[in-house]
């Protein structure tokens, strides 16, 4: 329980730092947000469901999501 809470806090802080860095020059905002979101997705089923529902609402991101999943499956299968 404590580990999950600490990971949620760390993921949130990293994601917020990424949002702050996003408009600044340099490629630091987007990777930082991705790392924070990855930590949050690993620790919370609620955030996972919210992210999946937002992806399915947007046609472009839904197609991108499918392409990434298919690419990931091709890499993982022997």
């Amino acid at each position: 329980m404590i580990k999950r809470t600490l990971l949620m806090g760390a993921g949130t802080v990293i994601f917020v730092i990424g949002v702050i860095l996003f408009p600044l020059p340099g490629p630091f905002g987007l990777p930082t947000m991705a790392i924070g979101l990855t930590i949050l997705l690993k620790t919370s089923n609620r955030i996972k469901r919210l992210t999946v529902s937002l992806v399915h609402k947007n046609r472009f991101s839904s197609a991108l999501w499918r392409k990434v999943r298919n690419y990931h499956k091709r890499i993982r299968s022997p």
Side-chain angles (χ1 to χ4, degrees), residues 19-75:
V19 169
I20 292 169
L21 291 176
F22 187 71
L24 298 175
F28 302 113
L30 201 57
T32 307
M33 285 191 304
I35 292 169
L37 186 61
T38 303
I39 294 170
L40 288 171
L41 289 173
K42 289 277 187 182
T43 57
S44 174
N45 288 330
R46 182 178 173 203
I47 294 175
K48 242 184 254 185
R49 285 192 304 267
L50 177 67
T51 304
V52 169
S53 70
L54 289 174
V55 165
H56 286 300
K57 285 181 183 178
N58 185 349
R59 233 184 303 166
F60 173 73
S61 64
S62 182
L64 181 65
W65 184 268
R66 274 188 253 115
K67 286 180 186 178
V68 169
R69 269 189 27 216
N70 290 335
Y71 182 69
H72 180 67
K73 286 179 184 176
R74 281 189 279 157
I75 290 174

